[in-house]
Amino acid sequence: MSGEEEAAAQQQKTEEQKQDTKPEEDKQNEQQPPPAQEAEKPQDEASYKSLVLSGYGGYDKVKLQVKKGELVPKAGEVLVRVKACGLNFADLMGRQGLYDRLPSPPVTPGMECSGIVEALGEGVTDRKLGDKVIVMNRAGMWQEVVTVLTSHTFLMPEGMTFEEAAAIPVNYITAYMMLFDFGNLRPNQSILIHMAAGGVGIAATQLCQTVKDVTIFGTSSASKHDAIKENGVTHTIDYRTMDYVDEIRKLSPKGVDIVLDPLGGSDTCKAFNLLKPMGKLITYGAANLLTGQKKNLMALAKTWWNQFSINAMQLLQSNKAVCGYHLGYLDEEMELVGGVLSKILDLYKQGKIKPRVDSVWPFQQVGDAMRQMQERKNIGKVILVPEAEKEEKKEEN
């Protein structure tokens, strides 16, 4: 073999050895896709739970939906992670198409909630991340997250639970403004509180006790009498088996100074006739319209036929006052409403009021929660939460 042939053979042998001894790392890189390919995997899209009224009717018309997308607060707004929501009689009426302040379906109901501030919109300086807040709005609060103007949020006092916070706004503001702004409640007066075991009834009873020597007549079913008496009702009346007018007249022949009327229809007429001279009737609802899951045309007709009516001359001669209260129409008066809530929260800090939570229901059981309230089984506030309590405890563990 010539020298040139030997050199060529030696070069070929060297190249073969290089290929055989190629680093193991290079072989592995050939078998695996480059890291850039992993980064191309699609990320999970943001979503949140929301209760949506799909149409008017029974309990099944409010459904749990998962909405896609991320809520972002606009200028002057905050994003709140909701921990608890309040259920109100207005929500039950809204489901039947009887509450005109609720926008048309499909819509998320809910006028109050509590939670934690998670994001700030441009220009927000009076709230910070992590603030625990009470939230009020015309609608849309039954969601996992909500965006609202900061003027619709109020800082929770120390020691207040999220359930208590969600139980305060609608019920206690309603009760406070009726008793003190319209009713001018004073020591040694008397009052009739219908549905005394409900959210407004519990709130009104507690607020009456901030005034000295107020006599409270409270109506409820007999099974709730111990509870409302413990809450401060002086004289309990079973509206199912007794005529509350007769029962009050037995103890107070002249009647009462104030009647809070959430019933409507013929009960409003009875309320006016129960008033003492210089007495005040404050009407704030039409619970008599709710007789079942769906709108009852007979109940509507009966309530309309029996509606209270009085002219100015009759009112003048009676020496009585008639007031109408509807918190839903004060949604643009947040400075006024906020001032009232501030006074209520001060009373909470002083230990003079304490919301009573009847029951807590996860969003997926909203139908059962509404049934609990509509069938008047509750004593105090019915609360909705985004997650079931057991699930939350598991996560904590």
Side-chain angles (χ1 to χ4, degrees), residues 12-239:
Q12 183 179 355
K13 186 176 180 181
T14 303
E15 289 177 357
E16 289 175 353
Q17 287 177 345
K18 285 182 180 179
Q19 289 177 357
D20 291 339
T21 59
K22 191 172 185 178
E24 190 68 23
E25 185 180 343
D26 291 345
K27 291 180 181 179
Q28 290 176 357
N29 288 341
E30 286 178 0
Q31 295 172 358
Q32 295 181 0
Q37 291 182 12
E38 292 184 3
E40 292 174 3
K41 290 182 180 178
Q43 295 182 351
D44 292 337
E45 188 177 357
S47 63
Y48 56 93
K49 295 177 185 176
S50 177
L51 289 173
V52 178
L53 176 66
S54 58
Y56 300 130
Y59 303 129
D60 61 336
K61 291 298 183 180
V62 182
K63 301 181 185 297
L64 178 60
Q65 296 183 6
V66 176
K67 293 185 176 181
K68 293 183 178 180
E70 185 177 3
L71 286 179
V72 178
K74 300 175 184 176
E77 293 184 341
V78 291
L79 175 76
V80 177
R81 174 71 55 177
V82 175
K83 295 297 183 180
C85 310
L87 175 64
N88 294 287
F89 232 84
D91 300 313
L92 303 182
M93 298 186 74
R95 195 195 69 237
Q96 295 190 8
L98 298 172
Y99 184 71
D100 60 355
R101 297 303 289 162
L102 182 68
S104 300
V107 63
T108 294
M111 298 178 286
E112 60 189 348
C113 71
S114 61
I116 300 173
V117 175
E118 282 197 348
L120 307 176
E122 183 182 351
V124 173
T125 58
D126 55 347
R127 293 290 177 266
K128 64 181 185 298
L129 299 181
D131 278 347
K132 295 180 179 180
V133 291
I134 296 169
V135 186
M136 294 185 68
N137 210 43
R138 179 177 168 184
M141 298 294 94
W142 291 359
Q143 291 189 160
E144 255 187 324
V145 286
V146 297
T147 54
V148 291
L149 291 168
T150 56
S151 59
H152 289 237
T153 67
F154 309 88
L155 294 175
M156 288 169 51
E158 282 291 327
M160 178 180 282
T161 67
F162 287 114
E163 291 78 12
E164 286 180 329
I168 277 188
V170 171
N171 291 162
Y172 280 82
I173 290 172
T174 296
Y176 189 100
M177 296 186 82
M178 288 193 299
L179 289 173
F180 301 118
D181 291 311
F182 276 150
N184 191 27
L185 181 64
R186 299 191 301 280
N188 301 306
Q189 288 192 324
S190 57
I191 183 170
L192 168 59
I193 300 175
H194 285 290
M195 299 168 64
V200 173
I202 293 285
T205 302
Q206 292 181 3
L207 289 168
C208 281
Q209 292 172 83
T210 64
V211 179
K212 188 177 179 182
D213 296 329
V214 172
T215 300
I216 305 169
F217 294 91
T219 68
S220 75
S221 57
S223 62
K224 301 177 181 179
H225 282 187
D226 288 344
I228 65 172
K229 205 166 184 65
E230 183 183 342
N231 192 53
V233 170
T234 316
H235 302 291
T236 58
I237 302 170
D238 182 359
Y239 68 93

Side-chain angles (χ1 to χ4, degrees), residues 102 119 254 336 374:
L102 182 68
K254 286 187 176 182
L336 170 64
Q374 188 159 330

Side-chain angles (χ1 to χ4, degrees), residues 240-259:
R240 293 179 176 176
T241 61
M242 301 176 179
D243 184 318
Y244 63 84
V245 173
D246 290 343
E247 294 302 311
I248 292 172
R249 292 287 187 193
K250 288 176 187 176
L251 296 167
S252 180
K254 286 187 176 182
V256 294
D257 296 292
I258 299 171
V259 177

Side-chain angles (χ1 to χ4, degrees), residues 178 192 194 259-265 267-268 271 281-286:
M178 288 193 299
L192 168 59
H194 285 290
V259 177
L260 305 184
D261 171 37
L263 303 176
D267 285 290
T268 307
L281 163 62
I282 302 137
T283 180
Y284 69 103

